[in-house]
Amino acid sequence: MRSVLLLFLVATSLAACSTSTTGSTEGSTAPVTTTTTIPDTTTTVAPTTTSSTTTTTTTLPQGTLAEDARAVVLAGLPGTTLDPATTSFLSEGGRAMIVFSKNLASQDQTGALTSAMACAAGVDILVAVDQEPGRVERLAKIGIPSPAVDSERDVFVADTLGMGEAMLKIGINFDLAPVLDVARGSNPVLVGRNFGPDPEVVAARGVDFQLTLESLGIVTTAKHFPGHGLSTVDPHLQVTPIDAGLETLQEVDFPPFQAAIDSGIGAVMIGHPIYEALDPDNPASLSPAVLDLLRNDFGFDGVAVTDAFSMAGVREGRTLGEVTVEALIAGEDLLIVDNPPEVAEVVAFIEAAVADGTLSRDRLAEAAGRVRRLAMTAAPVQCDE
């Protein structure tokens, strides 16, 4: 099966990706398919800021308030085994977990950990990792490397396929990659983890990665929307302004994201930089204007996920509660709460915001429903009890 799929992926050539910007895209792809195709080139027209309304036509899975408040959290955990707090989080409605290097000791241990997660949840879940082409490869620690960013296409696709197969064996079905930022100039956060300064190359290589993993049922994530290829500081460490004009964003930064969305990507991660041309007052991850751009101009109806909540680029000048509620009001669906002690706090902030009317119940239900829909269509994480 693997060799047939690999030959098909490498040999098949298609016309350029669709350039439509008005249709809705479902938030996921069917878990396993042998008809995935990889386009040779990707020529994408970036959307303007004049939008048509995107309409969600799929009924989203529903839950209680307590379940929804947990479903929208992509939660970190403290160690290499499932702790009581995380077990409760999953059993009470949590649908998404993220693992980091600290959680990984071996492939057998990781498989046991993800199985315990699935058993605790009792339903379909997402287990995420940052496994990017290039230097950010959390799973390399346990013998699962990422493809090189600059390898030949056939090698890149083969390495991506092998990586994906290994990920599924240990119960990871959600990759927070590819990086679609078009890097140019001094850009410390993107060194060694980007496909270069040409938007067409970035788009084509990103779609190769996306469709190869999605052929296995692994959800992929286009990041960091709307593109921080011009950032000169690291948003992990400080507030990151990007003063690119709208025309530059449309011509250079937007096209790889439109290519990914047109190709059916399941998730888009919104970065924390502040874009003068889009919303000079808020990080993109907290900006209603940026989320509206993603939904209505790019036609995306999948899961919008924040970058990590621990980053200074979003936390400076704001409390955890403010970041939580502002992100959901802006239109985010999944919040990366990478600091385990903050998971319960974030859940409480969400429930309180609904109770006092700051956050609408419908907005929370929509976000949680998108996360559940994505989990239901990803390759299942097995409970081996």
Side-chain angles (χ1 to χ4, degrees), residues 1-7 9 147 155-167 209 211-213 215-216 218:
M1 169 67 179
R2 181 181 185 277
S3 60
V4 173
L5 177 58
L6 175 57
L7 289 173
L9 289 170
V155 175
F156 180 84
V157 171
D159 289 349
T160 302
L161 184 62
M163 180 193 78
E165 290 173 336
M167 290 170 64
F209 185 83
L211 295 185
T212 301
L213 290 187
S215 74
L216 301 171
I218 297 173

mmCIF file with all atom_site columns, all heavy atoms in Angstrom, residues 1-7 9 147 155-167 209 211-213 215-216 218:
data_model
loop_
_atom_site.group_PDB
_atom_site.id
_atom_site.type_symbol
_atom_site.label_atom_id
_atom_site.label_alt_id
_atom_site.label_comp_id
_atom_site.label_asym_id
_atom_site.label_entity_id
_atom_site.label_seq_id
_atom_site.pdbx_PDB_ins_code
_atom_site.Cartn_x
_atom_site.Cartn_y
_atom_site.Cartn_z
_atom_site.occupancy
_atom_site.B_iso_or_equiv
_atom_site.pdbx_formal_charge
_atom_site.auth_seq_id
_atom_site.auth_comp_id
_atom_site.auth_asym_id
_atom_site.auth_atom_id
_atom_site.pdbx_PDB_model_num
ATOM 1   N N   . MET A 1 1   ? 0.838  -1.207 0.000  1.00 0.00 ? 1   MET A N   1
ATOM 2   C CA  . MET A 1 1   ? 0.000  0.000  0.000  1.00 0.00 ? 1   MET A CA  1
ATOM 3   C C   . MET A 1 1   ? 0.870  1.252  0.000  1.00 0.00 ? 1   MET A C   1
ATOM 4   O O   . MET A 1 1   ? 0.654  2.190  -0.754 1.00 0.00 ? 1   MET A O   1
ATOM 5   C CB  . MET A 1 1   ? -0.906 -0.017 1.238  1.00 0.00 ? 1   MET A CB  1
ATOM 6   C CG  . MET A 1 1   ? -1.643 1.279  1.502  1.00 0.00 ? 1   MET A CG  1
ATOM 7   S SD  . MET A 1 1   ? -2.846 1.616  0.227  1.00 0.00 ? 1   MET A SD  1
ATOM 8   C CE  . MET A 1 1   ? -3.533 3.137  0.830  1.00 0.00 ? 1   MET A CE  1
ATOM 9   N N   . ARG A 1 2   ? 1.926  1.235  0.859  1.00 0.00 ? 2   ARG A N   1
ATOM 10  C CA  . ARG A 1 2   ? 2.765  2.428  0.979  1.00 0.00 ? 2   ARG A CA  1
ATOM 11  C C   . ARG A 1 2   ? 3.482  2.722  -0.330 1.00 0.00 ? 2   ARG A C   1
ATOM 12  O O   . ARG A 1 2   ? 3.553  3.851  -0.797 1.00 0.00 ? 2   ARG A O   1
ATOM 13  C CB  . ARG A 1 2   ? 3.779  2.236  2.108  1.00 0.00 ? 2   ARG A CB  1
ATOM 14  C CG  . ARG A 1 2   ? 4.672  3.438  2.307  1.00 0.00 ? 2   ARG A CG  1
ATOM 15  C CD  . ARG A 1 2   ? 5.672  3.169  3.417  1.00 0.00 ? 2   ARG A CD  1
ATOM 16  N NE  . ARG A 1 2   ? 6.466  4.361  3.687  1.00 0.00 ? 2   ARG A NE  1
ATOM 17  C CZ  . ARG A 1 2   ? 7.534  4.717  3.001  1.00 0.00 ? 2   ARG A CZ  1
ATOM 18  N NH1 . ARG A 1 2   ? 7.942  3.997  1.982  1.00 0.00 ? 2   ARG A NH1 1
ATOM 19  N NH2 . ARG A 1 2   ? 8.197  5.819  3.331  1.00 0.00 ? 2   ARG A NH2 1
ATOM 20  N N   . SER A 1 3   ? 4.016  1.666  -0.972 1.00 0.00 ? 3   SER A N   1
ATOM 21  C CA  . SER A 1 3   ? 4.756  1.902  -2.207 1.00 0.00 ? 3   SER A CA  1
ATOM 22  C C   . SER A 1 3   ? 3.852  2.366  -3.330 1.00 0.00 ? 3   SER A C   1
ATOM 23  O O   . SER A 1 3   ? 4.217  3.226  -4.129 1.00 0.00 ? 3   SER A O   1
ATOM 24  C CB  . SER A 1 3   ? 5.496  0.623  -2.614 1.00 0.00 ? 3   SER A CB  1
ATOM 25  O OG  . SER A 1 3   ? 4.580  -0.426 -2.830 1.00 0.00 ? 3   SER A OG  1
ATOM 26  N N   . VAL A 1 4   ? 2.633  1.789  -3.386 1.00 0.00 ? 4   VAL A N   1
ATOM 27  C CA  . VAL A 1 4   ? 1.688  2.226  -4.424 1.00 0.00 ? 4   VAL A CA  1
ATOM 28  C C   . VAL A 1 4   ? 1.315  3.686  -4.227 1.00 0.00 ? 4   VAL A C   1
ATOM 29  O O   . VAL A 1 4   ? 1.303  4.485  -5.165 1.00 0.00 ? 4   VAL A O   1
ATOM 30  C CB  . VAL A 1 4   ? 0.426  1.341  -4.390 1.00 0.00 ? 4   VAL A CB  1
ATOM 31  C CG1 . VAL A 1 4   ? -0.635 1.882  -5.327 1.00 0.00 ? 4   VAL A CG1 1
ATOM 32  C CG2 . VAL A 1 4   ? 0.790  -0.089 -4.759 1.00 0.00 ? 4   VAL A CG2 1
ATOM 33  N N   . LEU A 1 5   ? 1.008  4.061  -2.991 1.00 0.00 ? 5   LEU A N   1
ATOM 34  C CA  . LEU A 1 5   ? 0.634  5.445  -2.708 1.00 0.00 ? 5   LEU A CA  1
ATOM 35  C C   . LEU A 1 5   ? 1.779  6.388  -3.012 1.00 0.00 ? 5   LEU A C   1
ATOM 36  O O   . LEU A 1 5   ? 1.592  7.445  -3.604 1.00 0.00 ? 5   LEU A O   1
ATOM 37  C CB  . LEU A 1 5   ? 0.230  5.570  -1.241 1.00 0.00 ? 5   LEU A CB  1
ATOM 38  C CG  . LEU A 1 5   ? -0.118 6.981  -0.761 1.00 0.00 ? 5   LEU A CG  1
ATOM 39  C CD1 . LEU A 1 5   ? -1.259 7.551  -1.591 1.00 0.00 ? 5   LEU A CD1 1
ATOM 40  C CD2 . LEU A 1 5   ? -0.481 6.955  0.710  1.00 0.00 ? 5   LEU A CD2 1
ATOM 41  N N   . LEU A 1 6   ? 3.017  6.000  -2.639 1.00 0.00 ? 6   LEU A N   1
ATOM 42  C CA  . LEU A 1 6   ? 4.164  6.863  -2.871 1.00 0.00 ? 6   LEU A CA  1
ATOM 43  C C   . LEU A 1 6   ? 4.394  7.086  -4.351 1.00 0.00 ? 6   LEU A C   1
ATOM 44  O O   . LEU A 1 6   ? 4.606  8.211  -4.807 1.00 0.00 ? 6   LEU A O   1
ATOM 45  C CB  . LEU A 1 6   ? 5.405  6.237  -2.234 1.00 0.00 ? 6   LEU A CB  1
ATOM 46  C CG  . LEU A 1 6   ? 6.729  6.952  -2.478 1.00 0.00 ? 6   LEU A CG  1
ATOM 47  C CD1 . LEU A 1 6   ? 6.622  8.396  -2.000 1.00 0.00 ? 6   LEU A CD1 1
ATOM 48  C CD2 . LEU A 1 6   ? 7.854  6.232  -1.762 1.00 0.00 ? 6   LEU A CD2 1
ATOM 49  N N   . LEU A 1 7   ? 4.324  6.000  -5.163 1.00 0.00 ? 7   LEU A N   1
ATOM 50  C CA  . LEU A 1 7   ? 4.502  6.159  -6.597 1.00 0.00 ? 7   LEU A CA  1
ATOM 51  C C   . LEU A 1 7   ? 3.427  7.050  -7.183 1.00 0.00 ? 7   LEU A C   1
ATOM 52  O O   . LEU A 1 7   ? 3.681  7.886  -8.056 1.00 0.00 ? 7   LEU A O   1
ATOM 53  C CB  . LEU A 1 7   ? 4.472  4.783  -7.270 1.00 0.00 ? 7   LEU A CB  1
ATOM 54  C CG  . LEU A 1 7   ? 5.696  3.895  -7.014 1.00 0.00 ? 7   LEU A CG  1
ATOM 55  C CD1 . LEU A 1 7   ? 5.469  2.503  -7.575 1.00 0.00 ? 7   LEU A CD1 1
ATOM 56  C CD2 . LEU A 1 7   ? 6.942  4.519  -7.638 1.00 0.00 ? 7   LEU A CD2 1
ATOM 57  N N   . LEU A 1 9   ? 1.736  9.460  -5.627 1.00 0.00 ? 9   LEU A N   1
ATOM 58  C CA  . LEU A 1 9   ? 1.945  10.838 -5.201 1.00 0.00 ? 9   LEU A CA  1
ATOM 59  C C   . LEU A 1 9   ? 3.027  11.511 -6.016 1.00 0.00 ? 9   LEU A C   1
ATOM 60  O O   . LEU A 1 9   ? 2.906  12.656 -6.426 1.00 0.00 ? 9   LEU A O   1
ATOM 61  C CB  . LEU A 1 9   ? 2.329  10.870 -3.717 1.00 0.00 ? 9   LEU A CB  1
ATOM 62  C CG  . LEU A 1 9   ? 1.232  10.540 -2.717 1.00 0.00 ? 9   LEU A CG  1
ATOM 63  C CD1 . LEU A 1 9   ? 1.819  10.368 -1.333 1.00 0.00 ? 9   LEU A CD1 1
ATOM 64  C CD2 . LEU A 1 9   ? 0.187  11.624 -2.710 1.00 0.00 ? 9   LEU A CD2 1
ATOM 65  N N   . PRO A 1 147 ? 10.821 15.806 7.107  1.00 0.00 ? 147 PRO A N   1
ATOM 66  C CA  . PRO A 1 147 ? 11.526 15.994 5.841  1.00 0.00 ? 147 PRO A CA  1
ATOM 67  C C   . PRO A 1 147 ? 12.316 17.299 5.853  1.00 0.00 ? 147 PRO A C   1
ATOM 68  O O   . PRO A 1 147 ? 11.942 18.253 6.534  1.00 0.00 ? 147 PRO A O   1
ATOM 69  C CB  . PRO A 1 147 ? 10.398 16.045 4.811  1.00 0.00 ? 147 PRO A CB  1
ATOM 70  C CG  . PRO A 1 147 ? 9.203  16.501 5.582  1.00 0.00 ? 147 PRO A CG  1
ATOM 71  C CD  . PRO A 1 147 ? 9.359  15.918 6.958  1.00 0.00 ? 147 PRO A CD  1
ATOM 72  N N   . VAL A 1 155 ? 11.863 13.116 -2.921 1.00 0.00 ? 155 VAL A N   1
ATOM 73  C CA  . VAL A 1 155 ? 12.408 12.766 -1.614 1.00 0.00 ? 155 VAL A CA  1
ATOM 74  C C   . VAL A 1 155 ? 11.553 13.379 -0.513 1.00 0.00 ? 155 VAL A C   1
ATOM 75  O O   . VAL A 1 155 ? 11.245 12.729 0.497  1.00 0.00 ? 155 VAL A O   1
ATOM 76  C CB  . VAL A 1 155 ? 13.871 13.232 -1.489 1.00 0.00 ? 155 VAL A CB  1
ATOM 77  C CG1 . VAL A 1 155 ? 14.408 12.985 -0.078 1.00 0.00 ? 155 VAL A CG1 1
ATOM 78  C CG2 . VAL A 1 155 ? 14.739 12.532 -2.519 1.00 0.00 ? 155 VAL A CG2 1
ATOM 79  N N   . PHE A 1 156 ? 11.152 14.634 -0.710 1.00 0.00 ? 156 PHE A N   1
ATOM 80  C CA  . PHE A 1 156 ? 10.321 15.323 0.280  1.00 0.00 ? 156 PHE A CA  1
ATOM 81  C C   . PHE A 1 156 ? 9.012  14.579 0.501  1.00 0.00 ? 156 PHE A C   1
ATOM 82  O O   . PHE A 1 156 ? 8.589  14.348 1.652  1.00 0.00 ? 156 PHE A O   1
ATOM 83  C CB  . PHE A 1 156 ? 10.061 16.755 -0.191 1.00 0.00 ? 156 PHE A CB  1
ATOM 84  C CG  . PHE A 1 156 ? 9.225  17.576 0.742  1.00 0.00 ? 156 PHE A CG  1
ATOM 85  C CD1 . PHE A 1 156 ? 9.799  18.226 1.819  1.00 0.00 ? 156 PHE A CD1 1
ATOM 86  C CD2 . PHE A 1 156 ? 7.860  17.719 0.547  1.00 0.00 ? 156 PHE A CD2 1
ATOM 87  C CE1 . PHE A 1 156 ? 9.041  18.990 2.697  1.00 0.00 ? 156 PHE A CE1 1
ATOM 88  C CE2 . PHE A 1 156 ? 7.083  18.483 1.408  1.00 0.00 ? 156 PHE A CE2 1
ATOM 89  C CZ  . PHE A 1 156 ? 7.680  19.123 2.479  1.00 0.00 ? 156 PHE A CZ  1
ATOM 90  N N   . VAL A 1 157 ? 8.346  14.188 -0.581 1.00 0.00 ? 157 VAL A N   1
ATOM 91  C CA  . VAL A 1 157 ? 7.073  13.477 -0.465 1.00 0.00 ? 157 VAL A CA  1
ATOM 92  C C   . VAL A 1 157 ? 7.275  12.114 0.201  1.00 0.00 ? 157 VAL A C   1
ATOM 93  O O   . VAL A 1 157 ? 6.496  11.720 1.080  1.00 0.00 ? 157 VAL A O   1
ATOM 94  C CB  . VAL A 1 157 ? 6.406  13.325 -1.848 1.00 0.00 ? 157 VAL A CB  1
ATOM 95  C CG1 . VAL A 1 157 ? 5.194  12.396 -1.771 1.00 0.00 ? 157 VAL A CG1 1
ATOM 96  C CG2 . VAL A 1 157 ? 5.985  14.694 -2.390 1.00 0.00 ? 157 VAL A CG2 1
ATOM 97  N N   . ALA A 1 158 ? 8.332  11.404 -0.184 1.00 0.00 ? 158 ALA A N   1
ATOM 98  C CA  . ALA A 1 158 ? 8.607  10.094 0.405  1.00 0.00 ? 158 ALA A CA  1
ATOM 99  C C   . ALA A 1 158 ? 8.889  10.216 1.901  1.00 0.00 ? 158 ALA A C   1
ATOM 100 O O   . ALA A 1 158 ? 8.376  9.430  2.716  1.00 0.00 ? 158 ALA A O   1
ATOM 101 C CB  . ALA A 1 158 ? 9.787  9.433  -0.303 1.00 0.00 ? 158 ALA A CB  1
ATOM 102 N N   . ASP A 1 159 ? 9.686  11.207 2.279  1.00 0.00 ? 159 ASP A N   1
ATOM 103 C CA  . ASP A 1 159 ? 10.012 11.402 3.693  1.00 0.00 ? 159 ASP A CA  1
ATOM 104 C C   . ASP A 1 159 ? 8.779  11.828 4.488  1.00 0.00 ? 159 ASP A C   1
ATOM 105 O O   . ASP A 1 159 ? 8.603  11.421 5.651  1.00 0.00 ? 159 ASP A O   1
ATOM 106 C CB  . ASP A 1 159 ? 11.121 12.438 3.845  1.00 0.00 ? 159 ASP A CB  1
ATOM 107 C CG  . ASP A 1 159 ? 12.470 11.925 3.369  1.00 0.00 ? 159 ASP A CG  1
ATOM 108 O OD1 . ASP A 1 159 ? 12.605 10.714 3.123  1.00 0.00 ? 159 ASP A OD1 1
ATOM 109 O OD2 . ASP A 1 159 ? 13.400 12.748 3.225  1.00 0.00 ? 159 ASP A OD2 1
ATOM 110 N N   . THR A 1 160 ? 7.926  12.652 3.883  1.00 0.00 ? 160 THR A N   1
ATOM 111 C CA  . THR A 1 160 ? 6.692  13.067 4.546  1.00 0.00 ? 160 THR A CA  1
ATOM 112 C C   . THR A 1 160 ? 5.768  11.876 4.766  1.00 0.00 ? 160 THR A C   1
ATOM 113 O O   . THR A 1 160 ? 5.163  11.713 5.837  1.00 0.00 ? 160 THR A O   1
ATOM 114 C CB  . THR A 1 160 ? 5.979  14.157 3.730  1.00 0.00 ? 160 THR A CB  1
ATOM 115 O OG1 . THR A 1 160 ? 6.842  15.281 3.562  1.00 0.00 ? 160 THR A OG1 1
ATOM 116 C CG2 . THR A 1 160 ? 4.699  14.611 4.416  1.00 0.00 ? 160 THR A CG2 1
ATOM 117 N N   . LEU A 1 161 ? 5.673  11.032 3.759  1.00 0.00 ? 161 LEU A N   1
ATOM 118 C CA  . LEU A 1 161 ? 4.829  9.846  3.868  1.00 0.00 ? 161 LEU A CA  1
ATOM 119 C C   . LEU A 1 161 ? 5.329  8.912  4.966  1.00 0.00 ? 161 LEU A C   1
ATOM 120 O O   . LEU A 1 161 ? 4.550  8.427  5.802  1.00 0.00 ? 161 LEU A O   1
ATOM 121 C CB  . LEU A 1 161 ? 4.786  9.120  2.526  1.00 0.00 ? 161 LEU A CB  1
ATOM 122 C CG  . LEU A 1 161 ? 3.862  7.900  2.434  1.00 0.00 ? 161 LEU A CG  1
ATOM 123 C CD1 . LEU A 1 161 ? 2.416  8.293  2.665  1.00 0.00 ? 161 LEU A CD1 1
ATOM 124 C CD2 . LEU A 1 161 ? 4.033  7.218  1.086  1.00 0.00 ? 161 LEU A CD2 1
ATOM 125 N N   . GLY A 1 162 ? 6.638  8.669  5.004  1.00 0.00 ? 162 GLY A N   1
ATOM 126 C CA  . GLY A 1 162 ? 7.198  7.817  6.045  1.00 0.00 ? 162 GLY A CA  1
ATOM 127 C C   . GLY A 1 162 ? 6.988  8.390  7.434  1.00 0.00 ? 162 GLY A C   1
ATOM 128 O O   . GLY A 1 162 ? 6.676  7.664  8.392  1.00 0.00 ? 162 GLY A O   1
ATOM 129 N N   . MET A 1 163 ? 7.155  9.712  7.546  1.00 0.00 ? 163 MET A N   1
ATOM 130 C CA  . MET A 1 163 ? 6.921  10.383 8.820  1.00 0.00 ? 163 MET A CA  1
ATOM 131 C C   . MET A 1 163 ? 5.458  10.212 9.253  1.00 0.00 ? 163 MET A C   1
ATOM 132 O O   . MET A 1 163 ? 5.165  9.894  10.420 1.00 0.00 ? 163 MET A O   1
ATOM 133 C CB  . MET A 1 163 ? 7.250  11.868 8.699  1.00 0.00 ? 163 MET A CB  1
ATOM 134 C CG  . MET A 1 163 ? 7.042  12.688 9.963  1.00 0.00 ? 163 MET A CG  1
ATOM 135 S SD  . MET A 1 163 ? 7.099  14.467 9.615  1.00 0.00 ? 163 MET A SD  1
ATOM 136 C CE  . MET A 1 163 ? 5.450  14.715 8.899  1.00 0.00 ? 163 MET A CE  1
ATOM 137 N N   . GLY A 1 164 ? 4.543  10.409 8.322  1.00 0.00 ? 164 GLY A N   1
ATOM 138 C CA  . GLY A 1 164 ? 3.126  10.296 8.651  1.00 0.00 ? 164 GLY A CA  1
ATOM 139 C C   . GLY A 1 164 ? 2.730  8.900  9.092  1.00 0.00 ? 164 GLY A C   1
ATOM 140 O O   . GLY A 1 164 ? 1.951  8.731  10.039 1.00 0.00 ? 164 GLY A O   1
ATOM 141 N N   . GLU A 1 165 ? 3.255  7.907  8.429  1.00 0.00 ? 165 GLU A N   1
ATOM 142 C CA  . GLU A 1 165 ? 2.952  6.533  8.820  1.00 0.00 ? 165 GLU A CA  1
ATOM 143 C C   . GLU A 1 165 ? 3.441  6.252  10.246 1.00 0.00 ? 165 GLU A C   1
ATOM 144 O O   . GLU A 1 165 ? 2.755  5.593  11.031 1.00 0.00 ? 165 GLU A O   1
ATOM 145 C CB  . GLU A 1 165 ? 3.594  5.568  7.831  1.00 0.00 ? 165 GLU A CB  1
ATOM 146 C CG  . GLU A 1 165 ? 2.941  5.598  6.458  1.00 0.00 ? 165 GLU A CG  1
ATOM 147 C CD  . GLU A 1 165 ? 3.685  4.773  5.431  1.00 0.00 ? 165 GLU A CD  1
ATOM 148 O OE1 . GLU A 1 165 ? 4.906  4.550  5.597  1.00 0.00 ? 165 GLU A OE1 1
ATOM 149 O OE2 . GLU A 1 165 ? 3.048  4.359  4.444  1.00 0.00 ? 165 GLU A OE2 1
ATOM 150 N N   . ALA A 1 166 ? 4.628  6.767  10.565 1.00 0.00 ? 166 ALA A N   1
ATOM 151 C CA  . ALA A 1 166 ? 5.166  6.587  11.922 1.00 0.00 ? 166 ALA A CA  1
ATOM 152 C C   . ALA A 1 166 ? 4.339  7.342  12.952 1.00 0.00 ? 166 ALA A C   1
ATOM 153 O O   . ALA A 1 166 ? 4.137  6.863  14.080 1.00 0.00 ? 166 ALA A O   1
ATOM 154 C CB  . ALA A 1 166 ? 6.623  7.041  11.960 1.00 0.00 ? 166 ALA A CB  1
ATOM 155 N N   . MET A 1 167 ? 3.844  8.533  12.590 1.00 0.00 ? 167 MET A N   1
ATOM 156 C CA  . MET A 1 167 ? 2.995  9.297  13.501 1.00 0.00 ? 167 MET A CA  1
ATOM 157 C C   . MET A 1 167 ? 1.723  8.535  13.845 1.00 0.00 ? 167 MET A C   1
ATOM 158 O O   . MET A 1 167 ? 1.306  8.474  15.010 1.00 0.00 ? 167 MET A O   1
ATOM 159 C CB  . MET A 1 167 ? 2.656  10.656 12.878 1.00 0.00 ? 167 MET A CB  1
ATOM 160 C CG  . MET A 1 167 ? 3.830  11.616 12.796 1.00 0.00 ? 167 MET A CG  1
ATOM 161 S SD  . MET A 1 167 ? 3.478  13.091 11.798 1.00 0.00 ? 167 MET A SD  1
ATOM 162 C CE  . MET A 1 167 ? 2.184  13.878 12.750 1.00 0.00 ? 167 MET A CE  1
ATOM 163 N N   . PHE A 1 209 ? 3.137  18.670 1.253  1.00 0.00 ? 209 PHE A N   1
ATOM 164 C CA  . PHE A 1 209 ? 3.157  18.182 2.640  1.00 0.00 ? 209 PHE A CA  1
ATOM 165 C C   . PHE A 1 209 ? 1.742  17.899 3.118  1.00 0.00 ? 209 PHE A C   1
ATOM 166 O O   . PHE A 1 209 ? 1.444  16.834 3.673  1.00 0.00 ? 209 PHE A O   1
ATOM 167 C CB  . PHE A 1 209 ? 3.828  19.245 3.512  1.00 0.00 ? 209 PHE A CB  1
ATOM 168 C CG  . PHE A 1 209 ? 4.043  18.852 4.942  1.00 0.00 ? 209 PHE A CG  1
ATOM 169 C CD1 . PHE A 1 209 ? 5.148  18.103 5.316  1.00 0.00 ? 209 PHE A CD1 1
ATOM 170 C CD2 . PHE A 1 209 ? 3.155  19.245 5.932  1.00 0.00 ? 209 PHE A CD2 1
ATOM 171 C CE1 . PHE A 1 209 ? 5.363  17.746 6.642  1.00 0.00 ? 209 PHE A CE1 1
ATOM 172 C CE2 . PHE A 1 209 ? 3.351  18.904 7.253  1.00 0.00 ? 209 PHE A CE2 1
ATOM 173 C CZ  . PHE A 1 209 ? 4.468  18.149 7.616  1.00 0.00 ? 209 PHE A CZ  1
ATOM 174 N N   . LEU A 1 211 ? -1.192 17.363 1.442  1.00 0.00 ? 211 LEU A N   1
ATOM 175 C CA  . LEU A 1 211 ? -1.942 16.287 0.810  1.00 0.00 ? 211 LEU A CA  1
ATOM 176 C C   . LEU A 1 211 ? -1.341 14.916 1.100  1.00 0.00 ? 211 LEU A C   1
ATOM 177 O O   . LEU A 1 211 ? -2.066 13.922 1.179  1.00 0.00 ? 211 LEU A O   1
ATOM 178 C CB  . LEU A 1 211 ? -2.030 16.518 -0.700 1.00 0.00 ? 211 LEU A CB  1
ATOM 179 C CG  . LEU A 1 211 ? -2.823 17.746 -1.142 1.00 0.00 ? 211 LEU A CG  1
ATOM 180 C CD1 . LEU A 1 211 ? -2.936 17.792 -2.661 1.00 0.00 ? 211 LEU A CD1 1
ATOM 181 C CD2 . LEU A 1 211 ? -4.207 17.771 -0.511 1.00 0.00 ? 211 LEU A CD2 1
ATOM 182 N N   . THR A 1 212 ? -0.034 14.865 1.278  1.00 0.00 ? 212 THR A N   1
ATOM 183 C CA  . THR A 1 212 ? 0.586  13.585 1.619  1.00 0.00 ? 212 THR A CA  1
ATOM 184 C C   . THR A 1 212 ? 0.120  13.105 2.986  1.00 0.00 ? 212 THR A C   1
ATOM 185 O O   . THR A 1 212 ? -0.279 11.944 3.156  1.00 0.00 ? 212 THR A O   1
ATOM 186 C CB  . THR A 1 212 ? 2.120  13.698 1.591  1.00 0.00 ? 212 THR A CB  1
ATOM 187 O OG1 . THR A 1 212 ? 2.549  14.108 0.288  1.00 0.00 ? 212 THR A OG1 1
ATOM 188 C CG2 . THR A 1 212 ? 2.775  12.363 1.915  1.00 0.00 ? 212 THR A CG2 1
ATOM 189 N N   . LEU A 1 213 ? 0.130  13.991 3.984  1.00 0.00 ? 213 LEU A N   1
ATOM 190 C CA  . LEU A 1 213 ? -0.328 13.594 5.312  1.00 0.00 ? 213 LEU A CA  1
ATOM 191 C C   . LEU A 1 213 ? -1.836 13.359 5.338  1.00 0.00 ? 213 LEU A C   1
ATOM 192 O O   . LEU A 1 213 ? -2.315 12.423 5.995  1.00 0.00 ? 213 LEU A O   1
ATOM 193 C CB  . LEU A 1 213 ? 0.060  14.650 6.341  1.00 0.00 ? 213 LEU A CB  1
ATOM 194 C CG  . LEU A 1 213 ? 1.558  14.754 6.663  1.00 0.00 ? 213 LEU A CG  1
ATOM 195 C CD1 . LEU A 1 213 ? 1.786  15.726 7.817  1.00 0.00 ? 213 LEU A CD1 1
ATOM 196 C CD2 . LEU A 1 213 ? 2.164  13.395 6.992  1.00 0.00 ? 213 LEU A CD2 1
ATOM 197 N N   . SER A 1 215 ? -3.616 12.176 3.052  1.00 0.00 ? 215 SER A N   1
ATOM 198 C CA  . SER A 1 215 ? -3.925 10.885 2.445  1.00 0.00 ? 215 SER A CA  1
ATOM 199 C C   . SER A 1 215 ? -3.916 9.767  3.475  1.00 0.00 ? 215 SER A C   1
ATOM 200 O O   . SER A 1 215 ? -4.495 8.697  3.261  1.00 0.00 ? 215 SER A O   1
ATOM 201 C CB  . SER A 1 215 ? -2.921 10.571 1.329  1.00 0.00 ? 215 SER A CB  1
ATOM 202 O OG  . SER A 1 215 ? -1.653 10.196 1.849  1.00 0.00 ? 215 SER A OG  1
ATOM 203 N N   . LEU A 1 216 ? -3.268 10.012 4.616  1.00 0.00 ? 216 LEU A N   1
ATOM 204 C CA  . LEU A 1 216 ? -3.216 9.043  5.710  1.00 0.00 ? 216 LEU A CA  1
ATOM 205 C C   . LEU A 1 216 ? -4.256 9.318  6.787  1.00 0.00 ? 216 LEU A C   1
ATOM 206 O O   . LEU A 1 216 ? -4.403 8.535  7.725  1.00 0.00 ? 216 LEU A O   1
ATOM 207 C CB  . LEU A 1 216 ? -1.822 9.070  6.351  1.00 0.00 ? 216 LEU A CB  1
ATOM 208 C CG  . LEU A 1 216 ? -0.640 8.764  5.438  1.00 0.00 ? 216 LEU A CG  1
ATOM 209 C CD1 . LEU A 1 216 ? 0.673  9.034  6.159  1.00 0.00 ? 216 LEU A CD1 1
ATOM 210 C CD2 . LEU A 1 216 ? -0.698 7.328  4.952  1.00 0.00 ? 216 LEU A CD2 1
ATOM 211 N N   . ILE A 1 218 ? -4.179 12.294 8.543  1.00 0.00 ? 218 ILE A N   1
ATOM 212 C CA  . ILE A 1 218 ? -3.585 13.226 9.499  1.00 0.00 ? 218 ILE A CA  1
ATOM 213 C C   . ILE A 1 218 ? -3.996 14.651 9.129  1.00 0.00 ? 218 ILE A C   1
ATOM 214 O O   . ILE A 1 218 ? -3.791 15.092 7.996  1.00 0.00 ? 218 ILE A O   1
ATOM 215 C CB  . ILE A 1 218 ? -2.053 13.101 9.506  1.00 0.00 ? 218 ILE A CB  1
ATOM 216 C CG1 . ILE A 1 218 ? -1.645 11.708 9.980  1.00 0.00 ? 218 ILE A CG1 1
ATOM 217 C CG2 . ILE A 1 218 ? -1.425 14.178 10.395 1.00 0.00 ? 218 ILE A CG2 1
ATOM 218 C CD1 . ILE A 1 218 ? -0.159 11.423 9.876  1.00 0.00 ? 218 ILE A CD1 1
#
